Amino acid sequence: MSYIDGFVIAVPTTNKQKFIDHANFANGVFMELGALRVMECWGDDTPDGKVTDFRKAVQAKPDETVVFSWIEWPDKTTRDAGMAKMMEWMENPETGDPRMDPVRNPMPFDGKRMVFGGFSPVVELPSRDKG
């Protein structure tokens, strides 16, 4: 069964295109490391909750938009190997992939407020044909 990495971040709304450019530049790395699919979703309906919500989770400011992203991997073994290689590249920019170099491709958001984790699916339904 597949394995999913999920991410929630707050991006300054004025940085939407910078975020898209950053994601387009870097996300190919995940695909090359074995990911099946990467989704970056710009929030357009993230209401305030009474107890908690996406905005509170990432301490989003009024001028920020919540982004929900995920990476689908074929399995946890592929994900662990891919993430280890990616982290190695990030920690050694001189020998790593330039797409992961924060100097060449700086994050257009505050990475310290990112919420992320790995998930094992417990229910997985097949995609419906869109035709």
Side-chain angles (χ1 to χ4, degrees):
M1 187 174 269
S2 61
Y3 192 80
I4 307 296
D5 278 317
F7 309 86
V8 180
I9 57 175
V11 178
T13 303
T14 58
N15 284 355
K16 182 177 183 179
Q17 190 57 53
K18 286 181 184 177
F19 172 77
I20 292 168
D21 294 343
H22 168 81
N24 280 326
F25 190 66
N27 282 340
V29 173
F30 295 113
M31 299 301 289
E32 289 170 21
L33 293 174
L36 300 174
R37 181 167 66 147
V38 178
M39 294 290 291
E40 304 280 4
C41 306
W42 192 259
D44 72 358
D45 186 14
T46 55
D48 293 334
K50 292 186 181 193
V51 177
T52 192
D53 57 52
F54 280 111
R55 296 189 64 76
K56 288 182 184 106
V58 294
Q59 300 174 0
K61 298 173 180 135
D63 63 341
E64 294 178 321
T65 298
V66 174
V67 173
F68 176 65
S69 308
W70 73 90
I71 304 169
E72 180 180 0
W73 301 90
D75 51 55
K76 189 171 189 301
T77 301
T78 303
R79 178 268 197 168
D80 289 349
M83 286 300 218
K85 186 70 172 170
M86 189 194 68
M87 294 308 291
E88 176 186 322
W89 286 339
M90 289 177 70
E91 292 168 5
N92 300 302
E94 61 279 350
T95 60
D97 190 306
R99 293 170 291 182
M100 300 313 298
D101 183 349
V103 174
R104 289 186 179 172
N105 189 19
M107 292 187 300
F109 55 88
D110 180 0
K112 292 178 184 142
R113 291 186 284 142
M114 178 188 299
V115 176
F116 59 92
F119 301 85
S120 295
V122 293
V123 175
E124 188 171 341
L125 302 176
S127 297
R128 292 186 354 173
D129 186 35
K130 295 180 183 178

